[in-house]
Structure formats: C-alpha cells, structure tokens
Amino acid sequence: MPITWQQWLIKASTRLRAAASPSAKRDAEIMLGQVTGVARTRLLAFGETPLTAAQCLMLDALLLRRERGEPVAYLIGEHEFWSLRLQVSSATLIPRPDTECLVQRALELLPPAHADVLDLGTGTGAIALALASERPAWRITGVDRLPEAVSLAQDNAASLGLNNTQFLEGDWFAPLQMHRYSLIVSNPPYLEAGDPHLAQGDVRYEPRSALVAGEDGMQSLSAISRQVGAHLMLGGWLLLEHGWQQGGAVRTLLTDAGFSHIATLLDYGQHERVTQGQWLA
C-alpha cells in the first residue's frame, strides 16, 4: 500500500528527531515539498495523497543524507534570505538569519539615492542581492575569491532579475583597483581554526575557507580593516559581521585603522554581531 504525504512526514520527523535534528518537522516538510513540488500548506491540507515509488526513493535518499547531518539547503539547492530564494552550493556558506541585521543597518546608513556599495566575500551574493532588491538606485559590487561563488551569485542575480549588481573574482580588494565606495560590507570568515563548532551540525558540511580565519579567527577581519581605507569615500561606512565575542577586538581594529563613529550592533539573540565605522581620516 502506498505511503501518504502525512505518513512520510511522521516517519521522517521521527527519524530526524532521533538523529538530533533541531528542526525535524520543518526539515521533513521542506524535503517533501522539494520532491513533490507542492507548497507546505497543500502538503498539510491533503496529507492523504499517496507518494509514487519514484518519489519514495528520492525522499529516502534525501532523508538519509539529512540524518547524517548534511544541511537541508544543500539537499534542495536553495535557501531563503531577506525573503529572497537563493541558490546555494557546497562551495558557499549558507546565509544566516543574523546577517540580515547587517543588511538592515546598511539600509539605515545611506539614503535611497545613488550609492556605490561593495560586498566583500559575497558567497551566494546574499547581502549584495538583499541590498540591491531594496535599493534599485544603488550600484552594488560583490567580490569573492572562488569562481564557483562568483558564478552562483551571478546566477542568483539573474534569477531574481536584479541588474544593479556585478560580481568579480578576486581576493578582497584585488580586482577593484582604486575605486572608492560609499559603503563597504562584509561577512568574512571569523572562526578560530580549533573552534569546536566546526565538528558539529550543519557546519561540518560548509567550506572551511568561508568559516576559518587563522588560529585566532581574526585574520580576515584584520586584513580588511588594514586595506579598506583606500577604497572608502570620505564619510563612507564600513560594516563588518563577526563572532559574538569579537566585538571588542574589531572595535580596536577600526580604531587603529583611523575610523570614527565606531559602534557594535546586536543580533537577534542580543549578541554583538556587526561593527560599524565611518571613514573620516
């Protein structure tokens, strides 16, 4: 007898809870929606609908991968950020909800009128594309050293119909020459090489190059802070996302680099997450 949508959701949720998934029911719903092509509300309303044999095989394969800890975003190839559906891949970090705090602050710092904005280490293009969707008059450049990430960000921009962006391949400021920006944002790698979280949960499957920044986690933040002054307009702003215990160290970096109006903002969990500074040197 064929298994129904509801029966599969119960089975999958039970197995994922046993595997210590923090969002077992939601994970199961996402996978079922991906395979059936049906929205969550319809899955729940018509739970008696039977699965085909082919769908069962696909779902069982996805469920096994999720039980082993592979992120749902990698299983289905997409993730939502700032209400935008973004393609993701194992070459890029999965955008985090707390990064939306950086986006919100960026939108507050500059008026909607034309501005040149730079997103360093753009990955999927999440930050750049969120800003582009809110500020059509802004011209936003994303940079990433991985060609796979640049290609993915370009594909996301095209699928979202956002033509006020460009994405370049290079290491931090290398492909930019001496162009100056009104705002520079970045969510760079900031974990320590020995951080125990690297061996836990979804993070195990994400690229180390997008997570780890030297032994103390400060290598990328320090490199950006040293070089950024040559690429900011007078009065321009820098926004850096960082670890919840790195606020003090990042404020020191910006002070030493010559920034003014330095402040650290809290994330949704009330942890220090984003530090800003204005370039008036």
Side-chain angles (χ1 to χ4, degrees):
M1 181 175 179
I3 186 172
T4 66
W5 292 350
Q6 183 180 26
Q7 289 170 336
W8 189 86
L9 285 174
I10 293 171
K11 178 188 78 168
S13 298
T14 301
R15 283 175 53 177
L16 291 176
R17 278 193 290 271
S21 169
S23 53
K25 183 173 182 292
R26 183 64 178 142
D27 291 351
E29 291 170 352
I30 291 172
M31 289 186 288
L32 182 59
Q34 176 72 11
V35 169
T36 61
V38 173
R40 177 176 180 270
T41 53
R42 186 172 177 82
L43 291 175
L44 301 180
F46 297 91
E48 72 281 3
T49 305
L51 288 164
T52 67
Q55 288 173 335
C56 286
L57 288 174
M58 289 187 285
L59 285 166
D60 286 344
L62 289 176
L63 180 57
L64 181 60
R65 290 167 64 187
R66 182 57 186 147
E67 283 182 299
R68 293 170 176 169
E70 191 170 347
V72 172
Y74 290 161
L75 296 181
I76 68 173
E78 64 179 31
H79 187 74
E80 185 174 297
F81 179 84
W82 200 262
S83 298
L84 304 175
R85 300 302 300 180
L86 301 176
Q87 300 174 58
V88 299
S89 78
S90 58
T92 62
L93 193 69
I94 299 168
R96 302 311 201 251
D98 284 330
T99 301
E100 293 186 353
C101 299
L102 184 152
V103 173
Q104 183 61 51
R105 185 56 181 156
L107 295 172
E108 295 168 350
L109 283 174
L110 296 181
H114 173 77
D116 279 338
V117 177
L118 174 65
D119 174 25
L120 293 170
T122 196
T124 60
I127 295 173
L129 296 171
L131 294 175
S133 70
E134 296 287 345
R135 296 289 186 264
W138 289 8
R139 179 64 180 173
I140 301 165
T141 299
V143 174
D144 202 287
R145 67 179 186 82
L146 295 178
E148 303 98 316
V150 173
S151 178
L152 186 62
Q154 290 171 335
D155 288 345
N156 279 326
S159 65
L160 294 168
L162 296 170
N163 56 15
N164 56 332
T165 61
Q166 64 171 342
F167 296 96
L168 306 175
E169 180 185 341
D171 190 19
W172 300 135
F173 300 96
L176 302 172
Q177 299 181 0
M178 294 306 293
H179 190 81
R180 291 183 180 267
Y181 297 86
S182 306
L183 171 67
I184 296 177
V185 299
S186 183
N187 176 20
Y190 54 71
L191 293 185
E192 300 176 9
D195 193 308
H197 294 95
L198 293 168
Q200 301 172 7
D202 292 358
V203 177
R204 293 173 295 165
Y205 288 83
E206 294 183 282
R208 291 294 177 97
S209 62
L211 294 164
V212 176
E215 292 301 316
D216 63 356
M218 295 297 295
Q219 183 175 309
S220 297
L221 291 161
S222 179
I224 292 171
S225 300
R226 288 195 309 269
Q227 302 173 48
V228 70
H231 299 276
L232 273 171
M233 295 178 181
L234 188 64
W237 290 91
L238 172 67
L239 284 175
L240 292 174
E241 182 171 340
H242 50 73
W244 68 281
Q245 294 179 308
Q246 295 173 324
V250 175
R251 290 192 293 274
T252 298
L253 285 176
L254 297 194
T255 299
D256 293 344
F259 280 86
S260 302
H261 301 130
I262 298 167
T264 299
L265 312 172
L266 304 182
D267 62 20
Y268 296 132
Q270 299 303 298
H271 299 123
E272 292 193 331
R273 185 63 63 187
V274 176
T275 294
Q276 67 179 42
Q278 189 173 28
W279 184 248
L280 299 175

